[in-house]
Amino acid sequence: MAQHIIIAGGGSAGWMAAALFARLRPAPDTRITLVESDAIGTIGVGEATIPILQHFNRLLGLHEPDFVAATQGSFKLGIEFVDWGETGNRHFHGFGDFGPPIEGVAPHHHWHRLRAAGRIAKPIDAWSMPARAAGQDRFAPPEALRGEAAEYSYAYHFDAGLYARLLRDYAEARGVTRVEGRIVTAERDPESGDLTALLLEGERRLAGDLFIDCTGFASRLLGQALDTPFVDWSRWLPADRALAQGCARAGRFTPFTRSTAHAVGWQWRIPLQHRTGNGLVYSSAYLSDDEAAARLAANLDGDAIGDPRPLRFTTGRRDRFWAHNVVAIGLAAGFMEPLESTSLQLVQTGLVDLVELLPGTGRADPAIVAEYNRKTIGQYERIRDFLIAHYCISRRPEPFWRDMAAMTLPDSLAHKLALWDAMGRVPLYDRESHAEASWVAVLLGQGRIPRHHEPSADRPPLDALAQLFAQRRAVLEAALPRLPAHDHLVEKTCRADAA
């Protein structure tokens, strides 16, 4: 099957696919061609990621300081949520836990017990190393510390267009061929239904064996050529518009993304070296485009750069991600708003799973295709539930938020929240993208306090527990001064104009 892989579309998704296949060819003689048109724009906004992208870059052999400099990047310890849950609320979803288990029980259960007994009053963020470092705009990789204070991870912010350019250079240096041109249509085998070739403008024909659809929302191959249905999730995630807007850097150079809720959605802030990326996500049923543009303009850190870029979308996924000899990656496969920076995560996991399952030659067994679809559907659904949870537990009074709080939840999320409310435990399903600590950060951060904690958390004496929590706080306090300021570290190690 994989003698000639054709990647339709560029951007981050297309060039991530090209780079990974160039690094891990299904067979030594596999040819890789990427087709894109300079006339077709990409989303190309400032991108925030999660720590998994470190593994992708390491697999390619990209040197971190060079990668950050080439993409005008910065570092990310997590996401600060402002006005979620209720106006005035502020909490942090960091890439780390709240301390080690105590007698085999996760620390948030002991925090709950101490809080109920009146022994502590601080939010659980106070025991998160990423949250504490982010609050002081400090950052260094965890290797700079030792012990409990070093038990965290990190991700990146970067210019998505510059990342695609970096990956293009990488892929072309390893034998990937780029073809410039628009795709007019796709040719199919009348018997098998497989794609046999892409027909390009200028009456050009490009034959292939495996086709990777990275054509964005258009989903030219999986969605259009193969007529694969779209599964609409807008009843749970009704935001359908976004405006992206860059602005001059001003104020804090934060090692975190900020998400600020507003009356009908939320606004992102992504700090890059050369600018700050901003965007407003909203529902057109509650807010007009003009009102959205005015709201975004009023909440920029610095002077606007260019005009806001509008984006219209429907949240959901394709019924299948691999059909016949076509695999959709990125926006061609589905879309979920960037609330938890999962866009490139889904690109990466989709590609890595494909590389692991793809035979070097011949057609893939139907069982392999079914397994790929099962795994990918599961991951999309788990991320969907995590995003819904940010909305449905809100206590904000505006109509948009009241409607979100009143929705009928997917059964998987309804069970998760019911068990959380009963005893503070988060059941994790197959292909879960976010660990228990992430759910804890969001649920407790928005004030969703469970009725009780895990019964086994009652074993340690309260005095001993209080001492352990005080010790944890002292460890973090002692470690913070050893971390440099985020802007200082970027300036010294990965400044873009030094690349």
Side-chain angles (χ1 to χ4, degrees):
M1 168 181 263
Q3 293 91 343
H4 188 191
I5 298 174
I6 296 180
I7 302 165
S12 297
W15 286 111
M16 284 177 74
L20 188 63
F21 282 121
R23 174 69 178 82
L24 301 174
R25 278 177 164 79
D29 59 346
T30 298
R31 291 186 297 135
I32 305 164
T33 301
L34 185 144
V35 184
E36 66 175 344
S37 171
D38 289 334
I40 300 175
T42 59
I43 301 301
V45 298
E47 192 82 51
T49 65
I50 65 172
I52 190 175
L53 193 72
Q54 289 186 53
H55 305 305
F56 186 83
N57 286 349
R58 288 171 185 163
L59 179 60
L60 298 182
L62 299 179
H63 184 51
E64 182 174 87
D66 294 341
F67 151 72
V68 175
T71 60
Q72 294 277 0
S74 64
F75 295 94
K76 176 183 174 183
L77 288 165
I79 305 171
E80 180 187 52
F81 288 93
V82 179
D83 295 337
W84 286 80
E86 60 187 5
T87 302
N89 177 49
R90 191 179 291 259
H91 64 279
F92 197 83
H93 171 200
F95 299 135
D97 211 326
F98 305 99
I102 299 171
E103 294 193 14
V105 178
H108 71 275
H109 292 284
H110 301 290
W111 173 90
H112 182 275
R113 183 184 170 204
L114 288 167
R115 177 183 179 276
R119 300 294 294 269
I120 57 175
K122 291 185 179 296
I124 200 163
D125 287 0
W127 289 270
S128 163
M129 184 61 187
R132 299 302 307 282
Q136 297 185 16
D137 292 337
R138 294 179 179 272
F139 173 79
E143 296 78 21
L145 302 174
R146 290 194 300 259
E148 285 185 31
E151 294 175 359
Y152 64 93
S153 191
Y154 65 95
Y156 311 103
H157 309 109
F158 55 78
D159 184 307
L162 295 178
Y163 187 49
R165 186 185 305 170
L166 176 68
L167 294 177
R168 174 180 170 178
D169 292 343
Y170 177 98
E172 289 185 320
R174 289 159 179 79
V176 173
T177 300
R178 178 188 181 273
V179 174
E180 163 67 29
R182 286 180 179 268
I183 299 170
V184 176
T185 188
E187 191 178 89
R188 297 182 69 180
D189 184 282
E191 295 183 5
S192 69
D194 286 357
L195 263 61
T196 54
L198 300 182
L199 303 183
L200 311 181
E201 60 184 355
E203 299 183 351
R204 292 174 292 165
R205 182 178 183 274
L206 189 60
D209 303 293
L210 176 69
F211 295 82
I212 310 299
D213 188 349
C214 299
T215 60
F217 289 127
S219 193
R220 292 291 304 277
L221 307 187
L222 187 72
Q224 295 184 24
L226 297 186
D227 198 25
T228 303
F230 186 81
V231 180
D232 188 332
W233 284 342
S234 58
R235 66 188 182 279
W236 293 310
L237 293 165
D240 60 354
R241 304 281 175 90
L243 289 174
Q245 174 77 74
C247 75
R249 266 188 60 186
R252 297 168 59 190
F253 187 44
T254 59
F256 58 86
T257 306
R258 178 177 295 128
S259 170
T260 303
H262 60 79
V264 295
W266 60 280
Q267 181 170 329
W268 76 72
R269 177 187 181 275
I270 297 174
L272 306 176
Q273 292 188 43
H274 59 321
R275 60 179 168 84
T276 299
N278 307 274
L280 193 78
V281 176
Y282 62 102
S283 168
S284 60
Y286 298 83
L287 189 71
S288 72
D289 294 342
D290 288 343
E291 290 171 326
R295 184 184 295 269
L296 178 61
N299 290 285
L300 299 178
D301 286 349
D303 294 337
I305 299 174
D307 296 323
R309 299 179 60 184
L311 178 67
R312 299 187 178 191
F313 57 85
T314 300
T315 300
R317 61 168 178 84
R318 291 290 158 185
D319 179 65
R320 292 167 293 163
F321 301 92
W322 185 347
H324 293 280
N325 59 338
V326 174
V327 182
I329 297 292
L331 299 178
F335 179 81
M336 284 180 284
E337 60 191 73
L339 181 57
E340 283 284 351
S341 311
T342 52
S343 177
L344 291 189
Q345 171 195 354
L346 289 167
V347 171
Q348 178 179 341
T349 55
L351 289 171
V352 170
D353 286 342
L354 179 60
V355 167
E356 290 178 350
L357 293 171
L358 190 66
T361 58
R363 289 181 58 85
D365 189 286
I368 292 175
V369 176
E371 174 63 4
Y372 181 87
N373 285 324
R374 183 195 69 82
K375 292 174 70 174
T376 310
I377 289 170
Q379 185 164 55
Y380 268 75
E381 290 180 344
R382 300 291 76 77
I383 291 174
R384 175 203 67 190
D385 286 0
F386 191 50
L387 300 188
I388 296 170
H390 291 64
Y391 286 101
C392 71
I393 65 174
S394 178
R395 301 176 301 283
R396 290 186 61 127
E398 298 92 343
F400 171 82
W401 293 97
R402 290 301 85 222
D403 290 347
M404 295 292 280
M407 77 172 78
T408 299
L409 301 176
D411 291 344
S412 51
L413 177 58
H415 171 67
K416 188 166 287 189
L417 292 179
L419 188 62
W420 168 263
D421 290 341
M423 62 181 300
R425 178 175 285 186
V426 180
L428 299 179
Y429 307 130
D430 182 40
R431 300 297 284 176
E432 194 81 51
S433 292
H434 294 88
E436 183 181 55
S438 293
W439 284 88
V440 169
V442 171
L443 295 173
L444 290 182
Q446 289 203 38
R448 183 87 169 206
I449 307 297
R451 293 188 296 274
H452 197 65
H453 48 262
E454 192 169 302
S456 52
D458 288 326
R459 287 196 297 261
L462 276 174
D463 287 344
L465 274 183
Q467 184 176 5
L468 287 173
F469 272 67
Q471 290 172 351
R472 164 83 176 173
R473 285 264 295 168
V475 167
L476 302 189
E477 287 291 336
L480 285 171
R482 307 206 315 264
L483 296 179
H486 178 230
D487 56 359
H488 178 78
L489 181 134
V490 169
E491 172 72 19
K492 294 297 184 182
T493 65
C494 47
R495 193 178 74 230
D497 61 4

